[in-house]
Amino acid sequence: MAAGVLTGVRQVLRGPRLVSAVFSCHGQTFSSAAAAVKSPAAATDTAATEKILNFPLTQPDYFRLSELFTMKDLFEARVHLGHKKGCRHRLMGPYLFGSRLDIDIIDLEQTAEHLQRALNFTAHVAYRGGIILLVSRRRQFGHLIETTAQECGEYAHTRYWKGGLLTNASIQYSPGVRLPDLIVFFSTLNNVFQQHVGIRDAAKINIPTVGIVDSNCNPSLITYPVPGNDDTPVAMEMYCRLFKMTINRAKDKRRQMELLKGISASV
Amino acid sequence: QINKIIRPSLNRKHVLFVTTKMFSHKSLVNGMRDTASAGPQKFTQEFIDKQVEEFEVGKRHLANMMEEDPETFTQEDIDRSIAYLFPSGLFEKRARPFMKHPEEIFPKQTAIQWDAKGRPFHFLFYTGKQSYYSLLHDVYEKILAIERHQDKMRNKGLFTSDTKQILLTGSRWLLKEEIEENLVENISDQDYMRLIQLMEKLLSMPYCSLEKEFILKFRKQLEVQSSKYEIPALQYDPQGVAFSVADGRRKTAKASITLRDSGSGNITINGRNYLHYFPVLQNRVQLMFPLLFVGMMGRFDIEGSVEGSGHSAQAGALRLAISRALLSFVSEGEVEKMRQAGLLTADPRIRERKKP
């Protein structure tokens, strides 16, 4: 009977750590069997984890994010409306379609492409369990962004940005704090129309950034700029919805993959 | 009792851990080490748990040494035993030996705010002031909820501005220190002002009574000052006439007053009529003012004795005594009015000493 229990436990051990944790009530027999079969189980475990991490990178649109939005949705959310010609930043020139009655119109074809790239990157970061920080200094949308962060289980910072948050983290928080792996700027300017300090700090610390750049913003330091309107509530709600859906999709996919690998390994 | 204390058991097995003060764990050899920048000393949870264990064991040893029951050995017993075993003539009480629970000795550490993978628990962790900003977020959430409720009522056609308002009289907003205590975080003055402004905005909306309990959490009831006064007991003499006795002081003058009801406004001081005792009008006005204020001028007979100081001070002492005696004849609202008129406040001014 004891031998039968041992073989049963050995079968279970071939699965990844997650599954073996569930069966830990077996006690003494379990721990002695664990010592014997550790190396092959650990090897298959790491192989499975590597497969989980690397498989999504083989396909261009693994999370099927292109079905989340169309150019028509962007147009109806007034994403193409920029500021007046006088407020235009010289580096935003290439992203603009033109100007009509002195108002700059952002090229939605480029926006769609950039947004697809940005959402894909966010999804991959969320899939790998990265910390995503949603940042904006627009008081009109601060509450919306904090609620979005709460709903997708990530973090938000829509308040006054203290100087050393990223660069002086071990003293601002405690030593051993983990910094965000991706920062998403829903508006790259602060309340005095200067570039948000977080962009420069993230670039210094090598944290990738995704940013919605309007026609008066500087897109140079942002890793994945998304030219688009950051003033209209409709547009902001759309961006929040899109990012929330991507992050939730990516996390659900990860949970699914872990379960699948667990089941396939134990079989 | 003394015999019992004199014979503690001197078994060498019993070892106590008694501290006089916390010594630094950093090495004292390296004087150049920058000890200030590390901040207050940090202790791991295992270290504190070990200290608690040692304290419990030491407590039992001490109880055995003093030949008392280890189960019912309280902190007062510990203090008494330590004071007996380690008598100290030091004037500074904090330098004497003590044995206290580690919870009281080691400062409280904030718990680690992230899980095993390093992900923080709170969604506003990266702002630095997570509890404060989370509070602002909640208040704004409530404002939005009330606005949505207003819109619903408007759609139904039931919108009214004269809804039940929250009673705010008799309470004040919590102070910055009290909020800091609740949030376990430091906030600046501007942050505090911002919070109060948000709460005021919440209060200005018509349907704010929906969030009554939430708002009252940030208000503190003020004590009613008039309830603090000791009202002299109303006594009755053999004829059934009510009277009350009270004292008053001013500078060095001490006065004692008996206020008799159903009188005709006679005032006798030290056996003489008040007209003879106080020739100056100002002093007589001082005597009459409490009765005038309460509107019971011709009702009482006053019998007073006063000694010490000069005529003005004696008049002031008598006035205070009359006001105090009146408290037993007067209603609650009148007591508050008298307090606000300054009749019940003892004048603290005394003569200042001569300096060269």
Side-chain angles (χ1 to χ4, degrees):
Chain A
M1 212 269 306
V5 170
L6 249 152
T7 46
V9 165
R10 249 187 228 161
Q11 297 268 4
V12 162
L13 273 172
R14 276 199 204 102
R17 277 190 301 268
L18 185 70
V19 182
S20 53
V22 174
F23 290 90
S24 59
C25 53
H26 286 257
Q28 284 295 351
T29 340
F30 182 80
S31 52
S32 55
V37 274
K38 197 165 168 136
S39 14
T44 44
D45 188 23
T46 42
T49 329
E50 266 183 42
K51 200 160 174 217
I52 296 180
L53 292 177
N54 293 338
F55 181 66
L57 298 173
T58 55
Q59 294 166 13
D61 194 10
Y62 182 71
F63 300 99
R64 295 199 311 272
L65 300 166
S66 42
E67 57 189 46
L68 284 180
F69 66 96
T70 58
M71 237 165 74
K72 187 160 194 297
D73 294 334
L74 293 180
F75 181 83
E76 272 160 16
R78 303 182 225 159
V79 166
H80 60 290
L81 298 173
H83 289 270
K84 289 267 192 175
K85 198 167 71 176
C87 297
R88 192 195 301 175
H89 197 280
R90 64 181 178 89
L91 294 172
M92 285 300 289
Y95 298 120
L96 298 178
F97 187 72
S99 85
R100 163 100 173 134
L101 295 172
D102 258 9
I103 298 177
D104 286 333
I105 308 296
I106 297 168
D107 187 1
L108 281 183
E109 283 182 7
Q110 292 190 53
T111 301
E113 211 182 288
H114 282 89
L115 187 56
Q116 168 67 26
R117 263 189 250 156
L119 287 176
N120 192 31
F121 183 74
T122 319
H124 281 275
V125 170
Y127 180 83
R128 295 161 101 84
I131 295 181
I132 302 177
L133 185 63
L134 309 182
V135 176
S136 165
R137 200 53 184 107
R138 290 201 65 124
R139 289 182 55 181
Q140 203 180 358
F141 308 117
H143 186 86
L144 172 68
I145 288 162
E146 285 182 346
T147 329
T148 314
Q150 251 181 329
E151 283 162 11
C152 56
E154 296 296 340
Y155 306 87
H157 186 108
T158 57
R159 309 287 177 170
Y160 175 73
W161 183 279
K162 272 177 103 166
L165 278 192
L166 296 177
T167 43
N168 203 17
S170 58
I171 299 181
Q172 291 267 351
Y173 312 110
S174 317
V177 71
R178 181 176 157 188
L179 287 179
D181 299 303
L182 170 65
I183 304 186
V184 180
F185 287 92
F186 284 90
S187 158
T188 51
L189 298 182
N190 61 18
N191 288 345
V192 269
F193 300 103
Q194 289 164 348
Q195 199 187 42
H196 200 289
V197 178
I199 298 173
R200 188 203 66 193
D201 283 354
K204 278 190 190 177
I205 304 268
N206 284 345
I207 296 175
T209 41
V210 164
I212 313 280
V213 280
D214 204 348
S215 63
N216 58 352
C217 307
N218 183 356
S220 44
L221 278 178
I222 301 168
T223 338
Y224 291 92
V226 177
N229 187 5
D230 62 5
D231 301 286
T232 322
V234 200
M236 286 305 274
E237 277 165 20
M238 193 180 135
Y239 298 135
C240 286
R241 204 179 59 237
L242 286 174
F243 277 96
K244 187 170 72 176
M245 278 159 74
T246 28
I247 294 170
N248 283 335
R249 252 194 206 193
K251 287 185 173 173
D252 290 337
K253 195 79 191 183
R254 179 60 185 263
R255 274 191 282 265
Q256 210 179 40
M257 292 292 263
E258 301 241 294
L259 278 169
L260 276 173
K261 293 296 171 191
I263 293 166
S264 67
S266 64
V267 156
Chain B
Q1 190 201 8
I2 293 176
N3 284 338
K4 187 171 160 227
I5 296 174
I6 281 178
R7 291 187 296 108
S9 136
L10 290 169
N11 198 330
R12 223 180 286 163
K13 279 193 295 192
H14 295 145
V15 169
L16 286 177
F17 177 60
V18 170
T19 50
T20 48
K21 66 178 177 96
M22 282 307 305
F23 49 86
S24 168
H25 285 227
K26 300 213 163 66
S27 96
L28 299 165
V29 173
N30 209 345
M32 303 275 273
R33 194 171 291 182
D34 180 15
T35 49
S37 66
Q41 201 171 9
K42 299 257 171 27
F43 305 99
T44 54
Q45 193 53 39
E46 298 92 51
F47 175 79
I48 295 195
D49 291 336
K50 199 162 75 68
Q51 295 294 316
V52 173
E53 215 182 285
E54 282 179 14
F55 171 79
E56 295 298 330
V57 168
K59 197 165 90 156
R60 298 188 75 88
H61 279 315
L62 184 60
N64 283 328
M65 249 192 259
M66 299 302 288
E67 289 178 349
E68 289 192 29
D69 183 16
E71 307 298 328
T72 57
F73 207 57
T74 60
Q75 187 59 46
E76 284 104 46
D77 297 325
I78 296 178
D79 295 335
R80 192 170 41 81
S81 322
I82 297 290
Y84 171 72
L85 290 169
F86 300 91
S88 163
L90 295 173
F91 290 140
E92 176 64 65
K93 294 267 165 45
R94 285 177 293 182
R96 293 183 182 177
F98 65 88
M99 184 167 157
K100 284 203 155 35
H101 193 88
E103 295 281 294
E104 292 166 45
I105 302 176
F106 297 99
K108 284 234 153 58
Q109 326 272 348
T110 47
I112 291 289
Q113 288 173 318
W114 48 80
D115 58 17
K117 292 211 181 110
R119 291 186 72 104
F121 295 122
H122 201 279
F123 78 108
L124 289 177
F125 171 77
Y126 289 105
T127 56
K129 295 186 238 188
Q130 60 184 48
S131 331
Y132 170 71
Y133 286 131
S134 153
L135 178 61
L136 289 187
H137 178 84
D138 293 336
V139 178
Y140 193 69
E141 186 84 56
K142 295 199 190 303
I143 290 176
L144 288 179
I146 292 180
E147 277 180 5
R148 267 178 263 134
H149 181 79
Q150 269 179 12
D151 292 338
K152 256 198 292 188
M153 299 303 266
R154 253 187 261 260
N155 285 341
K156 285 189 207 165
L158 299 167
F159 179 76
T160 44
S161 311
D162 54 332
T163 48
K164 193 170 69 132
Q165 291 299 317
I166 305 175
L167 268 177
L168 292 173
T169 52
S171 61
R172 59 164 172 84
W173 287 118
L174 284 183
L175 294 174
K176 187 182 121 171
E177 288 75 23
E178 287 159 357
I179 291 188
E180 276 183 353
E181 221 177 276
N182 288 348
L183 297 176
V184 195
E185 242 176 27
N186 290 332
I187 54 175
S188 71
D189 292 328
Q190 293 92 337
D191 292 338
Y192 174 68
M193 289 316 306
R194 179 91 191 92
L195 177 64
I196 300 296
Q197 278 164 11
L198 252 184
M199 300 297 291
E200 296 279 345
K201 177 167 173 167
L202 184 58
L203 278 174
S204 69
M205 309 177 84
Y207 288 93
C208 58
S209 50
L210 292 169
E211 302 296 341
K212 187 171 171 182
E213 326 84 56
F214 180 75
I215 295 174
L216 287 178
K217 264 192 264 178
F218 293 91
R219 301 270 321 179
K220 189 164 176 188
Q221 288 296 117
L222 294 165
E223 295 166 355
V224 182
Q225 297 288 346
S226 57
S227 57
K228 284 202 205 134
Y229 289 106
E230 203 196 289
I231 303 172
L234 199 61
Q235 298 160 62
Y236 293 89
D237 73 4
Q239 277 81 41
V241 174
F243 71 96
S244 67
V245 178
D247 293 333
R249 271 195 281 191
R250 171 89 211 276
K251 276 199 216 173
T252 337
K254 292 199 226 317
S256 175
I257 284 280
T258 313
L259 210 66
R260 258 173 241 282
D261 208 352
S262 350
S264 51
N266 299 328
I267 305 182
T268 316
I269 303 175
N270 283 356
R272 292 152 71 186
N273 196 6
Y274 74 124
L275 269 175
H276 296 308
Y277 197 78
F278 288 125
V280 181
L281 176 68
Q282 184 190 310
N283 299 334
R284 292 200 297 276
V285 167
Q286 288 289 298
L287 287 192
M288 286 192 282
F289 177 54
L291 300 169
L292 181 67
F293 184 81
V294 174
M296 299 174 180
M297 278 291 279
R299 182 173 150 185
F300 295 101
D301 267 342
I302 300 174
E303 214 180 282
S305 63
V306 66
E307 55 171 5
S309 210
H311 60 93
S312 242
Q314 286 184 345
L318 281 164
R319 184 183 108 161
L320 183 60
I322 293 172
S323 320
R324 283 181 181 166
L326 265 179
L327 289 178
S328 43
F329 289 96
V330 122
S331 63
E332 272 289 322
E334 285 287 318
V335 168
E336 182 60 26
K337 278 196 200 162
M338 282 173 77
R339 183 190 75 85
Q340 287 186 359
L343 280 169
L344 301 173
T345 320
D347 198 331
R349 298 178 289 177
I350 57 166
R351 203 198 76 188
E352 197 178 313
R353 61 151 270 205
K354 169 81 182 73
K355 294 145 201 155

